[in-house]
């Protein structure tokens, strides 16, 4: 039925020996509300496609109906084609309040022929300044690609088409704040940021190229822990290593929630992406952090030194 968040529509047509199956449809309006844009955000294709539009008057955006405390969320996105300079398409998690937490995918538009820049950031308690930027190894405007955020008590991992591109570890033991107590909602938007988005604001939005459109399909929050409100009281439905979650199967929840780090093959992919496609890393920006790089930037070195000291003492 159309009221279901995920509907598996199996159409079996038997013609001689031929059998055809039609795959499931993901009805975005069951999980997502369009929240701004005065009609510039629209559900299409029987609510399986969401288009956001930006023109000279306004952009548009949406948010998830649910809030989550830990989870793995996925969205397939096709970015604005052609001359998209000045535009920013986003997919991110964010909590409320003045000391919010946030985990960002931001896609910075380009002049035709130039690559998009994928801008990532992590905010904890209202403080960000943890940017890493990447080129992509494909044209993100030609077809849909999958972008994922994994957030559990041990680390945050950004994925593109299943490939890890960035990891932010929980280093509270070293005094680094980590998002762990504020529920976050998923957001998406398309907006004008030509004061900074393309070459630091040097290239402005060419409105004659508009209106600009970014498309979204297949939002997946099945592996996310919903923060619910019962009788006016906010309660968390916790995830646990054994897999108890209101929105996840025990197997899938255990897999992502219990993950403390990446295996060797994932680590190898991460290194490949960062070596070949990273164009900015805040941990290498000594000019910006002239008084000293953030603590987490020297985490590996500090951990090695601690281990050496332990071995010496023993």
């Amino acid at each position: 039925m159309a009221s279901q968040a995920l509907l598996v529509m199996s159409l079996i047509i038997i013609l001689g020996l031929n059998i055809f199956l039609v795959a499931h449809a993901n009805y975005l309006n069951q999980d997502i509300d369009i929240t701004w844009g005065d009609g510039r955000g629209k559900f299409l294709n029987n609510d399986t496609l969401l288009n956001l539009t930006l023109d000279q008057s306004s952009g548009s955006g949406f948010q998830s109906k649910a809030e989550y405390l830990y989870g793995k969320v996925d969205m397939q996105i096709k970015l604005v084609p052609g001359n998209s300079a000045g535009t920013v398409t986003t997919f991110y998690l964010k909590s409320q309040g003045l000391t919010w937490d946030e985990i960002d995918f931001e896609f910075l538009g380009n002049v035709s022929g130039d690559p998009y820049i994928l801008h990532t950031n992590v905010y904890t308690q209202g403080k960000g300044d943890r940017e890493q930027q990447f080129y992509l190894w494909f044209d993100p405007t030609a077809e849909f690609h999958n972008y994922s955020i994994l957030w559990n008590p041990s680390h945050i991992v950004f994925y593109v088409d299943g490939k890890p591109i960035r990891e932010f570890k929980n280093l509270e033991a070293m005094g680094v704040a980590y998002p762990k107590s504020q529920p976050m909602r998923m957001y998406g938007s398309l907006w004008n940021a030509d004061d900074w988005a393309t070459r630091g604001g040097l290239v402005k939005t060419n409105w004659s190229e508009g209106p600009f459109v970014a498309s979204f399909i297949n939002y997946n929050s099945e592996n996310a822990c919903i923060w619910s409100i019962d009788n006016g009281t906010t309660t968390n439905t916790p995830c646990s290593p054994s897999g108890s979650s209101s929105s996840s199967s025990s197997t899938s929840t255990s897999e992502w929630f219990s993950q403390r780090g990446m295996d060797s093959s994932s680590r190898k992919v991460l290194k490949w992406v960062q070596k070949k496609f990273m164009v900015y890393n805040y941990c290498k920006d000594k000019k910006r952090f002239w008084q000293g790089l953030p603590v987490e930037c020297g985490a590996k070195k500090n951990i090695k030194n601690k281990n050496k000291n332990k071995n010496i003492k023993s």
Side-chain angles (χ1 to χ4, degrees), residues 77-200:
I77 307 172
K78 183 161 63 173
L79 300 179
V80 176
N83 184 354
S84 58
T87 71
V88 175
T89 305
T90 69
F91 171 59
Y92 62 103
L93 293 170
K94 186 177 184 291
S95 65
Q96 302 299 309
L98 296 176
T99 55
W100 74 96
D101 296 331
E102 186 173 341
I103 306 168
D104 289 341
F105 274 114
E106 294 185 309
F107 302 89
L108 312 186
N110 61 68
V111 177
S112 297
D114 292 340
Y116 260 84
I117 287 180
L118 169 53
H119 178 99
T120 66
N121 205 350
V122 176
Y123 286 77
T124 51
Q125 299 174 16
K127 183 181 181 300
D129 299 331
R130 297 186 176 113
E131 301 92 343
Q132 288 185 358
Q133 295 182 337
F134 305 83
Y135 289 138
L136 296 167
W137 49 94
F138 52 83
D139 179 359
T141 73
E143 56 188 17
F144 287 94
H145 289 269
N146 196 63
Y147 304 92
S148 311
I149 297 170
L150 183 151
W151 166 41
N152 73 16
S154 298
H155 66 172
I156 294 164
V157 185
F158 297 77
Y159 294 91
V160 175
D161 287 338
K163 293 180 172 63
I165 67 166
R166 177 178 183 179
E167 180 185 33
F168 183 82
K169 294 182 178 180
N170 184 341
L171 297 174
E172 288 184 298
M174 298 176 62
V176 180
Y178 187 81
K180 64 176 184 179
S181 59
Q182 299 188 77
M184 296 197 238
R185 211 176 286 272
M186 184 279 297
Y187 295 88
S189 62
L190 173 60
W191 54 291
N192 179 44
D194 66 4
D195 58 333
W196 67 272
T198 306
R199 293 183 59 201

